[in-house]
Amino acid sequence: MHDPGHESPDADELRRQFESMLSGLQPNELPALLNQLSRTAADRFERPPSIRHRKEPLAETVVFRIRVDLDDARPPIWRRLDVRSDVSLEDLHRIIQAAFGWLDYHLYRFALGGSPFDRRSELFLCPFDAQEGEEVGTPVAEVRLDETLHDQGDVLRYVYDYGDSWELTLQVESVHEMSEDTPWARCVDGRRAAPPEDCGGITDAESLAGVVDDPAHFDIDEVNAALSDPVLSLVDTGVDARLGDLLYRVQPLDGSGALTASATRLASSTIATGDQLEADLLPYLWFLRRARDEGFTLTSAGYLKPADVVAASKVLPTMKYFFGAKNREVQSAPVMLFRESLLRMGLLRKHKGHLLPTRVGKRLADDPQALADHLADRLLNQKMDRFTEDASLLMLFFAAASEPGDEMPLETIGALLTAYRWQGTDGRPIQKYDLYDLDNGIYEFFEAVSPPERGFRGLTMSPTAIEIARRAIHHR
């Protein structure tokens, strides 16, 4: 047995050598030595490569009946869930949160082949951990449930809140066929109340009695109501993953209930006919056909010529009540902004002083349905900053949940963006005029396909605006 009070001769010699080495260093050489020692220590304790346990996704979607146990709970705390095999692990995380009544305040991860902190487990990381890059693992949004579980007895591990460290074990009890009306998740059984957020990691009934009214309480209807919340259930409708995540984050901050009400209405159907698309998309079709047939000759300053401004003003709804002569583009902001948006949408291009259609623009000039699909694709799939993306997602969401004649709730959108994390200049709340200035052409799109309005009433949704918004948020 080693006595730390009496070092061996070898240890004494090593210490003398180390002290001699330090005494010979110049002050400016010490940082380099410390960096080398840090790298050596990091290499020694570097995480060994994990073993790959991830599976190929199943050929057909099935339903897994999964028992989810909170580890070390006495008496046991568990939920039995039916979960579709095609959900992502990010969606599974939200299902678990709803099933155990947690609020998604903390970090989490999944693991195959061992516990979430086993150095050889294959990890699936929450967005924060994935972005930080300090752990080796795959982002949860990129992994389907059936890439981790296939058969009865298969196990997936999960941890939520690295402080309280709620570790859970998910085990497949059975596998079932899926029907057309199978929800993404459903609770079929369970026992006992889950420990609440930030209670210190307690799992025994005696301790839980001090922080919950009834440790034995379990209400399956409450769990299924949470799982069928309209916003949470949007994943089942195939909405854009960015929108699903944004709504999930913003919903707890929405005191008005506007998000929940709109998510409920989203399932209703408003399909614009071909004639309706032709009429509402006239500004786009006019520019594409005019550019295809003759091209626009631009002024030396790069603006449309006066005759073209006059002609464009006759087809743009925003110019109907616009003050001014409407014959100079620099003084006709709606024409100029819409023309610039056509370039962002990949429909027109500038070439040697002319405005010409792109190859795509030529093809779409006589096909309103294909043009609607193109706009639905480009409205969100372009380079933009995070504020513009969040604002655009909310605008398209509320438009998609509208009925013809509804006004887009710009004030509500501004309030939600403010409550979430965004501020205007000087820390002021986001106002509706901040949404006018988004540089991705989305506001110009809504103006171009909406009925003209006098003054500052806002945007009234046309069937085409609703139809394209719905295509946009479901586009793959």
Side-chain angles (χ1 to χ4, degrees):
M1 182 179 290
H2 174 65
D3 182 352
H6 296 83
E7 296 182 343
S8 67
D10 287 343
D12 288 334
E13 179 62 25
L14 287 173
R15 184 181 63 196
R16 284 194 294 271
Q17 290 177 6
F18 186 66
E19 290 173 346
S20 174
M21 180 180 66
L22 288 177
S23 65
L25 290 175
Q26 298 297 319
N28 62 351
E29 295 176 313
L30 285 172
L33 176 62
L34 291 173
N35 285 336
Q36 182 178 354
L37 290 173
S38 297
R39 287 195 300 270
T40 300
D43 290 342
R44 181 178 179 184
F45 293 104
E46 182 179 7
R47 179 187 179 94
S50 61
I51 300 172
R52 180 178 170 86
H53 298 278
R54 187 172 172 182
K55 312 170 188 294
E56 291 296 322
L58 296 173
E60 296 184 1
T61 302
V62 296
V63 176
F64 293 128
R65 177 155 292 179
I66 302 172
R67 173 156 165 156
V68 185
D69 278 272
L70 179 60
D71 295 355
D72 302 320
R74 297 292 180 271
I77 298 171
W78 56 273
R79 306 288 183 263
R80 180 171 286 122
L81 305 172
D82 282 352
V83 185
R84 278 204 339 230
S85 63
D86 60 345
V87 304
S88 71
L89 292 189
E90 184 172 41
D91 297 328
L92 180 61
H93 157 71
R94 294 170 183 169
I95 291 167
I96 295 171
Q97 291 287 300
F100 283 80
W102 291 327
L103 304 173
D104 200 7
Y105 289 160
H106 302 286
L107 303 180
Y108 67 94
R109 66 179 60 175
F110 291 90
L112 277 178
S115 81
F117 298 111
D118 188 322
R119 298 180 72 203
R120 289 194 178 273
S121 297
E122 183 174 6
L123 301 182
F124 307 103
L125 305 176
C126 67
F128 180 85
D129 284 347
Q131 291 164 10
E132 287 295 296
E134 295 183 2
E135 291 278 10
V136 177
T138 308
V140 289
E142 298 176 11
V143 184
R144 283 171 44 133
L145 177 58
D146 60 3
E147 291 179 272
T148 64
L149 304 173
H150 273 187
D151 302 309
Q152 181 179 357
D154 286 353
V155 170
L156 177 66
R157 304 294 298 278
Y158 169 82
V159 62
Y160 170 64
D161 184 353
Y162 302 162
D164 284 355
S165 193
W166 307 118
E167 292 194 39
L168 296 93
T169 299
L170 291 73
Q171 185 168 27
V172 178
E173 293 185 323
S174 55
V175 182
H176 306 272
E177 292 184 358
M178 187 192 76
S179 62
E180 291 184 1
D181 58 351
T182 300
W184 72 318
R186 182 173 64 96
C187 183
V188 296
D189 201 0
R191 290 292 184 276
R192 306 189 66 79
E197 294 272 3
D198 302 322
C199 68
I202 57 177
T203 57
D204 63 284
E206 183 178 354
S207 299
L208 284 173
V211 293
V212 297
D213 293 334
D214 180 8
H217 174 78
F218 169 72
D219 188 328
I220 193 171
D221 293 333
E222 288 181 2
V223 175
N224 280 318
L227 289 172
S228 61
D229 175 270
V231 170
L232 189 62
S233 301
L234 279 178
V235 65
D236 207 18
T237 70
V239 299
D240 186 292
R242 294 168 294 177
L243 174 62
D245 184 65
L246 177 62
L247 297 179
Y248 178 72
R249 302 295 172 191
V250 175
Q251 186 187 26
L253 310 173
D254 177 25
S256 69
L259 289 180
T260 301
S262 292
T264 302
R265 290 197 303 267
L266 193 59
S268 62
S269 179
T270 298
I271 300 175
T273 64
D275 289 342
Q276 185 74 56
L277 288 173
E278 176 89 30
D280 292 339
L281 291 173
L282 177 60
Y284 289 93
L285 296 170
W286 181 85
F287 266 90
L288 291 178
R289 291 165 181 171
R290 171 74 169 75
R292 176 191 63 186
D293 296 339
E294 304 174 36
F296 292 92
T297 301
L298 302 175
T299 67
S300 59
Y303 296 109
L304 291 176
K305 290 191 171 183
D308 292 325
V309 176
V310 171
S313 297
K314 295 178 179 178
V315 298
L316 266 179
T318 47
M319 292 300 292
K320 181 173 182 179
Y321 301 113
F322 190 80
F323 295 106
K326 305 180 185 178
N327 60 2
R328 293 187 61 196
E329 191 181 28
V330 71
Q331 296 176 343
S332 303
V335 174
M336 181 173 64
L337 293 172
F338 181 69
R339 186 258 300 171
E340 291 175 348
S341 77
L342 293 171
L343 276 71
R344 292 192 192 93
M345 296 295 163
L347 297 170
L348 295 181
R349 61 188 177 91
K350 286 184 177 179
H351 179 69
K352 295 182 178 180
H354 290 79
L355 196 61
L356 303 172
T358 62
R359 184 176 301 175
V360 171
K362 287 182 180 179
R363 178 171 57 83
L364 300 179
D366 296 311
D367 192 342
Q369 284 284 357
L371 175 58
D373 280 333
H374 177 83
L375 292 171
D377 177 28
R378 290 299 292 261
L379 285 170
L380 288 176
N381 294 326
Q382 54 180 296
K383 187 176 181 180
M384 48 188 158
D385 60 45
R386 286 301 302 274
F387 171 73
T388 300
E389 181 177 278
D390 286 349
S392 300
L393 286 165
L394 287 180
M395 291 173 71
L396 287 166
F397 168 71
F398 279 105
S402 298
E403 291 296 331
D406 287 352
E407 185 176 346
M408 181 177 287
L410 295 175
E411 291 86 356
T412 298
I413 294 172
L416 291 171
L417 291 168
T418 302
Y420 180 41
R421 63 177 178 178
W422 298 110
Q423 295 179 334
T425 55
D426 301 324
R428 61 170 175 75
I430 299 298
Q431 305 292 330
K432 65 179 182 181
Y433 51 77
D434 293 306
L435 305 176
Y436 301 160
D437 298 328
L438 301 177
D439 63 359
N440 63 340
I442 191 167
Y443 198 82
E444 287 73 29
F445 157 73
F446 280 116
E447 286 188 315
V449 300
S450 300
E453 295 291 347
R454 187 186 297 274
F456 299 98
R457 182 171 180 266
L459 296 169
T460 299
M461 296 295 98
S462 67
T464 294
I466 298 167
E467 175 72 15
I468 293 178
R470 289 184 178 176
R471 297 187 194 187
I473 65 173
H474 289 91
H475 190 83
R476 286 291 182 268

